[in-house]
Amino acid sequence: MSIKISPLLECYAESNAKLGEVFGMKTVISEVLPRIDAQDFIMDLSPVPKCLVVGGESRQWIAEQIDDELGDLFDCHLQKNGGFISEIIRDQFLAVNGTNQATWECFIEKFHAPDIRILTLPYDCAEFIVGGPNTWGLLHALTSFDVDSLKPNQLSPMRIATVDVYVLPYKNMLRVFCTPADGYFLFNTVKTSVISGGGVSMGFNPSIDSLWVSN
């Protein structure tokens, strides 16, 4: 199996960051976690596995896999592995793995098992997380969207720096999902604002999920 390349890898071209392979994708990795209470940061999360579950019986099928009921459109059903499941269009669900590779096999077994009732498709996108004490002020400068209306545990479609995205907020952090084609521009735009404010650009660290769990 060929190794994929993160759509955001070129955004780190001018840094001396360490290259590595995560979930079968080449990206920049970091051995330290950000200090979200003291410094703004931006980090590539594109390698985290994602898939779409599609079909008229997809809601029922997913409920059987997780042994629980799903919420309304855009509500995120949080998983024990740090991932989540959310309905983004009627009868179309986005399933996102946790950031730890130890949970990958369970994710693959659960959401890629053949079943005539549903169709599972790989979901390739650019994903990053931006956080720190000035996160919300930074977002106010990049979007006309009312960021104060963002709800925890809910995906929200919005536009950042002219790019259409889905976002998932945590305390002092925001996960951003966009198309690979838009990823380079958007990541660099947000990164420029982060760094100009004294923040840092970091490589992928799987322990990042410990921060949003604790928030």
Side-chain angles (χ1 to χ4, degrees), residues 50-185:
K50 309 165 186 74
C51 71
L52 292 176
V53 181
V54 182
E57 297 185 51
S58 53
R59 174 177 287 271
Q60 178 182 346
W61 183 86
I62 292 175
E64 293 172 1
Q65 309 311 307
I66 64 175
D67 194 26
D68 199 2
E69 295 298 318
L70 295 166
D72 296 328
L73 189 69
F74 296 127
D75 286 345
C76 292
H77 190 287
L78 304 182
Q79 302 296 289
K80 293 180 180 179
N81 68 357
F84 67 88
I85 303 168
S86 178
E87 186 175 24
I88 56 176
I89 302 175
R90 181 178 174 84
D91 296 331
Q92 184 167 303
F93 293 81
L94 174 63
V96 179
N97 190 49
T99 59
N100 193 316
Q101 292 200 79
T103 65
W104 192 13
E105 184 175 347
C106 179
F107 177 82
I108 293 295
E109 290 178 352
K110 184 174 294 186
F111 287 99
H112 289 270
D115 194 302
I116 61 172
R117 295 177 295 168
I118 53 93
L119 177 65
T120 58
L121 303 168
Y123 186 75
D124 294 325
C125 72
E127 181 193 356
F128 61 89
I129 187 165
V130 57
N134 302 311
T135 301
W136 304 112
L138 168 67
L139 290 172
H140 276 295
L142 293 174
T143 181
S144 59
F145 187 89
D146 180 12
V147 297
D148 294 324
S149 67
L150 295 174
K151 298 179 181 179
N153 300 335
Q154 187 175 80
L155 275 180
S156 294
M158 62 180 289
R159 178 171 290 184
I160 301 176
T162 74
V163 176
D164 292 322
V165 300
Y166 285 112
V167 298
L168 177 60
Y170 303 90
K171 182 180 179 182
N172 293 338
M173 292 187 291
L174 189 77
R175 290 177 75 168
V176 180
F177 305 81
C178 68
T179 66
D182 288 324
Y184 180 85
F185 165 75

Side-chain angles (χ1 to χ4, degrees), residues 33 36 150 204 209:
L33 281 176
I36 64 171
L150 295 174
F204 180 87
D209 65 354

